[in-house]
Amino acid sequence: NHSAHLIMPSSNLSRRVKSVLAVTTALAAASLLFASLNKDYRPFLRTPANDEQEHRQLLQLNSFNDPKSIQTRTPSPTDILDQARSGFMHNTQWCRPPEEDAFPAPPIDYNQCENPQLIHMDINGGMTSYLNKILKVAMWAARDNSCFYINEGLGVLNEADGGKHFSHSKLGYRLVDGQDTYMIPFLTRYFGQMGLEKSRFEEMLASGTYDVITPSPSDINHHDFGGKASLTTNDPKKRFEIMSIPQLGYNNVERLSLKKHFLRRMFRINADVRDRACHRLASQGLDDEYMALSVRRGDKVTETSILDTVDPYIRLAEEGINSHFDGKVPTMFVATDDCSVMQEFRDARPEWTFVSECDNASEANGFVYKEMKLWSEEQTDAHFNKFIAEMIGMASARYWIGVATTNVSYWVYFMRSLEATDDSFIWADPPRVPGLP
């Protein structure tokens, strides 16, 4: 019996907090009424934590059963590496193996699929852009009991299809001495296997018994698990829509929690990469609850409008300090592709402590996606090791402030814990998803 569990709000809220929440709820209702009258203006007010929890439904720990995946036992305190890891950062969720989570997160067995539909996809984009798409396709495949394969190379799947299924992986593409080359495999340099291994895919393809489809980005985004509908509405029926993936033991689970837990099982950072990243973060003095500030510039300057000042971050950080840190200024972890912002933050609030991966690896001029083709393996690893450390740092923060103009933000949203609420995930640019207007 896979039932849903309703998380009830805390009953010991002070009168003052209850009053603030009541006012916030009233403002949200007024905002929605105004939005219904004017479709061109739809401000999103953050969901109060207690209202969100009233609607959220999570899996029950004692009802989770996944017949399609590898079952793992819960390690005892004596056989895990607790003695080798100590301190706040090393004990956060993403700095520990998934098998040690309070809620089991066993790896997914991608080889079992009864549906003759075989989903093929390439990674023709940036890292988090395609991690988001891989998550949607993986959930799509799991729900339909299909297999999926990520093509990291160049060319057609087989000559007989006339180029119908063509792949060009820009993530691993490199131009070396004027020659087109590919870093293959690419994703498994940093993460565990996602989808079928190449040899298994080729076997299935050669059998001639599978119907291969290559969904476009639009196809993926318009699928049940695609798009951003659950992140861009205050309507609980949409935001907390109940969904199921019976083949993986998920029955009647709200959309956001389902995606978060599925991501934890699918997105398994290689142990050496994870431990290196967490050691780097711990060395920055993140020894207590902290705030994360995500700043994206680089090639986004040419793609969309960006925040050209840190002032919005400072203003929102001050609000978060009062609402979530009892007025005490926490350490500020800055994740950015443009290390020049560090001096801007320190000039704006010299009395605050700002730390960043910029102290370990420099991207002073901002990350430009189109320049990746010129990177060596060493440069590639340096960039993505920094980036993975930043993802873990952002996902582990008590409070996050960032922008909606980068796929990084949406990925980090689903990396956050099942218990994380939207009033600690704040947008510094115009509202599109949970956060302050």
Side-chain angles (χ1 to χ4, degrees), residues 319-333:
E319 293 179 8
I321 290 167
N322 290 325
S323 64
H324 286 69
F325 295 90
D326 296 325
K328 181 181 178 181
V329 180
T331 298
M332 302 287 171
F333 174 72

Side-chain angles (χ1 to χ4, degrees), residues 268-310:
R268 308 174 81 82
I269 302 171
N270 290 343
D272 60 331
V273 177
R274 178 194 67 221
D275 291 345
R276 187 185 308 116
C278 293
H279 177 74
R280 288 164 62 152
L281 291 168
S283 69
Q284 295 179 28
L286 297 177
D287 52 7
D288 201 351
E289 297 283 4
Y290 61 94
M291 184 178 295
L293 310 175
S294 175
V295 182
R296 178 75 162 97
R297 290 182 179 174
D299 52 15
K300 290 298 177 182
V301 174
T302 63
E303 296 177 13
T304 184
S305 59
I306 64 168
L307 296 176
D308 56 4
T309 172
V310 299

Side-chain angles (χ1 to χ4, degrees), residues 118 149 151 156-158 196-210 212:
L118 180 54
Y149 172 69
N151 194 336
V156 297
L157 298 186
N158 90 39
L196 294 170
E197 293 186 359
K198 183 178 181 181
S199 59
R200 175 60 179 148
F201 172 72
E202 290 176 340
E203 288 176 7
M204 296 172 72
L205 195 65
S207 73
T209 59
Y210 290 89
V212 182

Side-chain angles (χ1 to χ4, degrees), residues 233-253:
T233 178
N234 248 334
D235 181 356
K237 292 182 180 179
K238 294 181 180 179
R239 184 163 176 69
F240 305 110
E241 178 184 2
I242 300 302
M243 308 188 80
S244 298
I245 304 180
Q247 293 296 330
L248 291 182
Y250 297 112
N251 289 277
N252 302 320
V253 185

Side-chain angles (χ1 to χ4, degrees), residues 135-155:
L135 174 62
K136 296 166 187 174
V137 167
M139 296 181 74
W140 173 356
R143 192 200 65 174
D144 292 353
N145 204 8
S146 300
C147 283
F148 77 98
Y149 172 69
I150 304 167
N151 194 336
E152 298 189 78
L154 171 70

